[in-house]
Amino acid sequence: PIDINTADTSEWKSLKGIGSYYARKIVGFREKLGGFYKVEQVAETYGLPDSTFQSIRSFLLISTDRIKQINLNTATVEELKAHPYIKANIATAIVNYRANHGAFKSIDQLLNIGAVDDELYRKIAPYLSVN
């Protein structure tokens, strides 16, 4: 078993079906995200076959104490849109909302932005804070 948030490429390569290419892709995706908050996110790695994910899934453990969060009250459009789940239009809408309504008091306020639906909110909430 490996911890998906701390494993380096050599640990990933110890899993059947994961070579250097996929190991680099998984670690790169994890770094862009700021860490995984659930095992299923590994399957979102670009190009990773579902059959490969299913074959390694039982060997994947997760610790979520290292998730990197973005502060909604200080983040720029560029910082927000660098996250794989936040498109440019969403990043712009977040910054505009903050400019018009003041600092975010809770992450839930994202749901007041028309472009942020429940599904997107659930995906991005673990990566956001209002410090």
Side-chain angles (χ1 to χ4, degrees):
I2 65 168
D3 183 321
I4 63 175
N5 276 328
T6 60
D8 61 18
T9 55
S10 61
E11 290 173 277
W12 281 103
K13 290 190 304 187
S14 73
L15 301 173
K16 187 177 186 334
I18 303 294
S20 295
Y21 176 79
Y22 287 131
R24 283 193 311 273
K25 296 286 271 186
I26 293 166
V27 170
F29 182 53
R30 178 187 71 202
E31 297 306 312
K32 286 179 185 167
L33 281 173
F36 296 116
Y37 63 84
K38 62 182 182 177
V39 169
E40 292 76 16
Q41 288 179 284
V42 173
E44 296 175 21
T45 303
Y46 182 77
L48 183 69
D50 186 60
S51 57
T52 302
F53 171 71
Q54 295 303 330
S55 72
I56 65 171
R57 185 181 193 159
S58 63
F59 300 101
L60 306 180
L61 305 173
I62 187 166
S63 60
T64 57
D65 57 335
R66 296 181 183 201
I67 302 269
K68 181 178 173 252
Q69 294 187 316
I70 302 167
N71 185 341
L72 285 175
N73 290 322
T74 60
T76 64
V77 170
E78 290 72 29
E79 290 168 327
L80 288 165
K81 73 180 184 180
H83 193 279
Y85 293 161
I86 304 174
K87 304 280 186 251
N89 65 317
I90 303 293
T92 301
I94 290 169
V95 171
N96 288 342
Y97 183 89
R98 183 178 70 212
N100 292 325
H101 297 90
F104 284 90
K105 291 174 183 51
S106 78
I107 296 167
D108 294 350
Q109 287 179 269
L110 287 174
L111 293 168
N112 297 332
I113 300 172
V116 178
D117 61 16
D118 288 340
E119 181 183 349
L120 177 61
Y121 175 79
R122 282 190 300 276
K123 283 179 80 168
I124 65 176
Y127 298 106
L128 302 172
S129 70
V130 291
N131 300 343

Short mmCIF file of all heavy atoms in Angstrom, two decimals, residues 7-30 32 36 42-49 52 56:
data_model
loop_
_atom_site.label_atom_id
_atom_site.label_comp_id
_atom_site.label_asym_id
_atom_site.label_seq_id
_atom_site.Cartn_x
_atom_site.Cartn_y
_atom_site.Cartn_z
N ALA A 7 3.44 9.67 -1.63
CA ALA A 7 4.24 8.76 -2.45
C ALA A 7 5.00 9.51 -3.54
O ALA A 7 4.45 10.38 -4.21
CB ALA A 7 3.34 7.70 -3.08
N ASP A 8 6.27 9.14 -3.69
CA ASP A 8 7.06 9.71 -4.79
C ASP A 8 6.90 8.78 -6.01
O ASP A 8 6.21 7.76 -5.94
CB ASP A 8 8.52 9.91 -4.39
CG ASP A 8 9.22 8.62 -4.00
OD1 ASP A 8 8.74 7.51 -4.33
OD2 ASP A 8 10.28 8.71 -3.34
N THR A 9 7.53 9.14 -7.10
CA THR A 9 7.35 8.37 -8.33
C THR A 9 7.82 6.92 -8.18
O THR A 9 7.21 6.02 -8.74
CB THR A 9 8.05 9.03 -9.53
OG1 THR A 9 9.43 9.24 -9.21
CG2 THR A 9 7.40 10.35 -9.90
N SER A 10 8.87 6.69 -7.42
CA SER A 10 9.34 5.31 -7.27
C SER A 10 8.32 4.46 -6.51
O SER A 10 8.15 3.27 -6.82
CB SER A 10 10.71 5.26 -6.59
OG SER A 10 10.66 5.81 -5.31
N GLU A 11 7.64 5.04 -5.55
CA GLU A 11 6.59 4.30 -4.84
C GLU A 11 5.42 3.99 -5.78
O GLU A 11 4.87 2.89 -5.75
CB GLU A 11 6.10 5.07 -3.62
CG GLU A 11 7.13 5.14 -2.50
CD GLU A 11 6.68 6.05 -1.37
OE1 GLU A 11 6.88 7.28 -1.49
OE2 GLU A 11 6.14 5.52 -0.40
N TRP A 12 5.05 4.94 -6.59
CA TRP A 12 3.98 4.70 -7.56
C TRP A 12 4.38 3.59 -8.52
O TRP A 12 3.56 2.74 -8.87
CB TRP A 12 3.64 5.98 -8.33
CG TRP A 12 2.77 6.91 -7.55
CD1 TRP A 12 3.14 8.05 -6.91
CD2 TRP A 12 1.36 6.78 -7.31
NE1 TRP A 12 2.06 8.62 -6.29
CE2 TRP A 12 0.96 7.87 -6.51
CE3 TRP A 12 0.40 5.83 -7.69
CZ2 TRP A 12 -0.37 8.05 -6.10
CZ3 TRP A 12 -0.91 6.00 -7.28
CH2 TRP A 12 -1.28 7.10 -6.50
N LYS A 13 5.63 3.59 -8.95
CA LYS A 13 6.09 2.58 -9.91
C LYS A 13 6.10 1.18 -9.31
O LYS A 13 6.15 0.19 -10.05
CB LYS A 13 7.48 2.94 -10.45
CG LYS A 13 7.46 4.14 -11.37
CD LYS A 13 8.76 4.37 -12.11
CE LYS A 13 9.95 4.50 -11.22
NZ LYS A 13 11.18 4.88 -11.94
N SER A 14 6.03 1.07 -8.01
CA SER A 14 5.99 -0.26 -7.38
C SER A 14 4.63 -0.94 -7.59
O SER A 14 4.49 -2.13 -7.33
CB SER A 14 6.29 -0.15 -5.88
OG SER A 14 5.20 0.42 -5.18
N LEU A 15 3.65 -0.18 -8.07
CA LEU A 15 2.33 -0.74 -8.33
C LEU A 15 2.24 -1.29 -9.75
O LEU A 15 2.72 -0.66 -10.70
CB LEU A 15 1.25 0.34 -8.13
CG LEU A 15 1.19 0.98 -6.74
CD1 LEU A 15 0.21 2.13 -6.74
CD2 LEU A 15 0.81 -0.06 -5.69
N LYS A 16 1.62 -2.44 -9.89
CA LYS A 16 1.47 -3.09 -11.20
C LYS A 16 0.72 -2.17 -12.16
O LYS A 16 -0.35 -1.66 -11.83
CB LYS A 16 0.71 -4.40 -11.03
CG LYS A 16 0.63 -5.24 -12.27
CD LYS A 16 -0.08 -6.54 -11.95
CE LYS A 16 -0.15 -7.57 -12.98
NZ LYS A 16 -0.12 -7.52 -14.28
N GLY A 17 1.30 -1.94 -13.32
CA GLY A 17 0.67 -1.12 -14.34
C GLY A 17 1.09 0.35 -14.31
O GLY A 17 0.72 1.12 -15.19
N ILE A 18 1.86 0.73 -13.30
CA ILE A 18 2.33 2.12 -13.20
C ILE A 18 3.83 2.17 -13.48
O ILE A 18 4.63 1.66 -12.71
CB ILE A 18 2.04 2.72 -11.81
CG1 ILE A 18 0.56 2.65 -11.45
CG2 ILE A 18 2.55 4.17 -11.74
CD1 ILE A 18 -0.36 3.49 -12.31
N GLY A 19 4.17 2.75 -14.61
CA GLY A 19 5.58 2.95 -14.96
C GLY A 19 5.96 4.39 -14.71
O GLY A 19 5.22 5.16 -14.10
N SER A 20 7.11 4.76 -15.21
CA SER A 20 7.62 6.13 -14.99
C SER A 20 6.66 7.19 -15.52
O SER A 20 6.45 8.21 -14.87
CB SER A 20 8.98 6.30 -15.68
OG SER A 20 9.92 5.47 -15.09
N TYR A 21 6.07 6.95 -16.68
CA TYR A 21 5.19 7.94 -17.31
C TYR A 21 3.98 8.24 -16.42
O TYR A 21 3.72 9.39 -16.08
CB TYR A 21 4.74 7.44 -18.69
CG TYR A 21 3.75 8.35 -19.37
CD1 TYR A 21 4.19 9.52 -20.01
CD2 TYR A 21 2.39 8.08 -19.36
CE1 TYR A 21 3.30 10.37 -20.63
CE2 TYR A 21 1.48 8.92 -19.98
CZ TYR A 21 1.94 10.06 -20.61
OH TYR A 21 1.05 10.90 -21.22
N TYR A 22 3.25 7.20 -16.04
CA TYR A 22 2.06 7.41 -15.22
C TYR A 22 2.42 7.89 -13.82
O TYR A 22 1.70 8.70 -13.23
CB TYR A 22 1.19 6.15 -15.14
CG TYR A 22 0.44 5.88 -16.42
CD1 TYR A 22 0.46 4.62 -16.99
CD2 TYR A 22 -0.27 6.88 -17.06
CE1 TYR A 22 -0.23 4.38 -18.17
CE2 TYR A 22 -0.95 6.64 -18.23
CZ TYR A 22 -0.94 5.39 -18.79
OH TYR A 22 -1.60 5.15 -19.96
N ALA A 23 3.53 7.43 -13.29
CA ALA A 23 3.96 7.89 -11.96
C ALA A 23 4.18 9.41 -11.98
O ALA A 23 3.72 10.12 -11.08
CB ALA A 23 5.24 7.17 -11.53
N ARG A 24 4.85 9.90 -13.02
CA ARG A 24 5.07 11.35 -13.15
C ARG A 24 3.76 12.10 -13.33
O ARG A 24 3.56 13.17 -12.77
CB ARG A 24 6.02 11.65 -14.32
CG ARG A 24 7.48 11.39 -14.02
CD ARG A 24 8.41 11.99 -15.06
NE ARG A 24 8.04 11.68 -16.44
CZ ARG A 24 8.42 10.58 -17.10
NH1 ARG A 24 9.20 9.69 -16.50
NH2 ARG A 24 8.05 10.39 -18.34
N LYS A 25 2.85 11.54 -14.14
CA LYS A 25 1.55 12.18 -14.38
C LYS A 25 0.74 12.28 -13.09
O LYS A 25 0.15 13.31 -12.80
CB LYS A 25 0.74 11.41 -15.43
CG LYS A 25 1.36 11.37 -16.81
CD LYS A 25 1.23 12.66 -17.53
CE LYS A 25 -0.04 12.70 -18.31
NZ LYS A 25 -0.15 13.90 -19.14
N ILE A 26 0.71 11.20 -12.31
CA ILE A 26 -0.06 11.19 -11.07
C ILE A 26 0.51 12.19 -10.07
O ILE A 26 -0.22 12.99 -9.48
CB ILE A 26 -0.11 9.77 -10.46
CG1 ILE A 26 -0.91 8.83 -11.37
CG2 ILE A 26 -0.72 9.80 -9.05
CD1 ILE A 26 -0.74 7.34 -11.03
N VAL A 27 1.83 12.16 -9.89
CA VAL A 27 2.47 13.08 -8.94
C VAL A 27 2.29 14.53 -9.41
O VAL A 27 1.99 15.42 -8.61
CB VAL A 27 3.96 12.73 -8.73
CG1 VAL A 27 4.69 13.81 -7.95
CG2 VAL A 27 4.08 11.38 -8.01
N GLY A 28 2.40 14.77 -10.70
CA GLY A 28 2.20 16.12 -11.23
C GLY A 28 0.78 16.61 -11.01
O GLY A 28 0.57 17.77 -10.63
N PHE A 29 -0.20 15.75 -11.25
CA PHE A 29 -1.60 16.12 -11.04
C PHE A 29 -1.84 16.41 -9.56
O PHE A 29 -2.48 17.40 -9.21
CB PHE A 29 -2.52 14.99 -11.55
CG PHE A 29 -3.99 15.30 -11.43
CD1 PHE A 29 -4.53 16.46 -11.95
CD2 PHE A 29 -4.83 14.40 -10.81
CE1 PHE A 29 -5.89 16.73 -11.84
CE2 PHE A 29 -6.20 14.65 -10.70
CZ PHE A 29 -6.72 15.82 -11.22
N ARG A 30 -1.29 15.56 -8.69
CA ARG A 30 -1.43 15.77 -7.25
C ARG A 30 -0.87 17.13 -6.83
O ARG A 30 -1.46 17.86 -6.06
CB ARG A 30 -0.72 14.65 -6.49
CG ARG A 30 -0.78 14.82 -4.98
CD ARG A 30 0.07 13.80 -4.26
NE ARG A 30 1.48 14.08 -4.46
CZ ARG A 30 2.44 13.17 -4.34
NH1 ARG A 30 2.16 11.92 -4.04
NH2 ARG A 30 3.70 13.51 -4.52
N LYS A 32 -0.48 19.85 -8.71
CA LYS A 32 -1.32 20.93 -9.23
C LYS A 32 -2.58 21.10 -8.39
O LYS A 32 -3.05 22.21 -8.16
CB LYS A 32 -1.70 20.68 -10.69
CG LYS A 32 -0.56 20.91 -11.64
CD LYS A 32 -0.97 20.63 -13.06
CE LYS A 32 0.22 20.74 -13.99
NZ LYS A 32 -0.07 20.17 -15.31
N PHE A 36 -4.59 15.12 -2.89
CA PHE A 36 -5.85 14.43 -3.13
C PHE A 36 -6.66 14.42 -1.84
O PHE A 36 -6.10 14.23 -0.77
CB PHE A 36 -5.59 12.97 -3.55
CG PHE A 36 -4.87 12.81 -4.86
CD1 PHE A 36 -3.61 12.23 -4.91
CD2 PHE A 36 -5.46 13.20 -6.06
CE1 PHE A 36 -2.95 12.05 -6.12
CE2 PHE A 36 -4.80 13.03 -7.27
CZ PHE A 36 -3.54 12.45 -7.30
N VAL A 42 -7.34 10.01 -8.09
CA VAL A 42 -6.21 9.46 -8.86
C VAL A 42 -6.68 9.07 -10.25
O VAL A 42 -5.97 9.26 -11.24
CB VAL A 42 -5.58 8.25 -8.12
CG1 VAL A 42 -4.52 7.57 -8.98
CG2 VAL A 42 -4.98 8.69 -6.79
N ALA A 43 -7.91 8.58 -10.35
CA ALA A 43 -8.47 8.15 -11.64
C ALA A 43 -8.63 9.32 -12.61
O ALA A 43 -8.74 9.11 -13.82
CB ALA A 43 -9.81 7.46 -11.43
N GLU A 44 -8.64 10.55 -12.11
CA GLU A 44 -8.77 11.73 -12.97
C GLU A 44 -7.45 12.11 -13.65
O GLU A 44 -7.42 13.01 -14.48
CB GLU A 44 -9.26 12.92 -12.15
CG GLU A 44 -10.64 12.74 -11.57
CD GLU A 44 -11.02 13.90 -10.67
OE1 GLU A 44 -10.45 15.00 -10.78
OE2 GLU A 44 -11.90 13.69 -9.81
N THR A 45 -6.37 11.43 -13.30
CA THR A 45 -5.07 11.71 -13.91
C THR A 45 -5.20 11.53 -15.42
O THR A 45 -5.62 10.46 -15.88
CB THR A 45 -3.98 10.79 -13.35
OG1 THR A 45 -3.93 10.95 -11.93
CG2 THR A 45 -2.62 11.11 -13.96
N TYR A 46 -4.82 12.54 -16.16
CA TYR A 46 -4.97 12.52 -17.61
C TYR A 46 -4.28 11.30 -18.22
O TYR A 46 -3.10 11.06 -17.98
CB TYR A 46 -4.41 13.81 -18.23
CG TYR A 46 -4.59 13.87 -19.72
CD1 TYR A 46 -5.83 14.18 -20.27
CD2 TYR A 46 -3.55 13.58 -20.57
CE1 TYR A 46 -6.02 14.21 -21.63
CE2 TYR A 46 -3.72 13.60 -21.95
CZ TYR A 46 -4.96 13.92 -22.47
OH TYR A 46 -5.15 13.94 -23.82
N GLY A 47 -5.04 10.53 -18.98
CA GLY A 47 -4.49 9.40 -19.71
C GLY A 47 -4.42 8.09 -18.93
O GLY A 47 -4.16 7.04 -19.52
N LEU A 48 -4.65 8.13 -17.63
CA LEU A 48 -4.58 6.90 -16.83
C LEU A 48 -5.80 6.03 -17.14
O LEU A 48 -6.93 6.45 -16.90
CB LEU A 48 -4.53 7.22 -15.34
CG LEU A 48 -4.39 6.03 -14.39
CD1 LEU A 48 -3.00 5.40 -14.53
CD2 LEU A 48 -4.62 6.44 -12.95
N PRO A 49 -5.57 4.82 -17.68
CA PRO A 49 -6.71 3.96 -17.99
C PRO A 49 -7.49 3.57 -16.73
O PRO A 49 -6.88 3.31 -15.69
CB PRO A 49 -6.07 2.71 -18.62
CG PRO A 49 -4.70 3.16 -19.06
CD PRO A 49 -4.29 4.22 -18.08
N THR A 52 -6.39 0.38 -15.16
CA THR A 52 -5.18 0.47 -14.34
C THR A 52 -5.54 1.01 -12.96
O THR A 52 -5.10 0.48 -11.94
CB THR A 52 -4.12 1.38 -15.01
OG1 THR A 52 -3.80 0.84 -16.29
CG2 THR A 52 -2.86 1.48 -14.16
N ILE A 56 -5.10 -0.94 -9.16
CA ILE A 56 -4.24 -0.46 -8.07
C ILE A 56 -5.03 0.11 -6.89
O ILE A 56 -4.48 0.31 -5.81
CB ILE A 56 -3.23 0.61 -8.55
CG1 ILE A 56 -3.94 1.88 -9.03
CG2 ILE A 56 -2.31 0.03 -9.63
CD1 ILE A 56 -3.03 3.06 -9.32
#
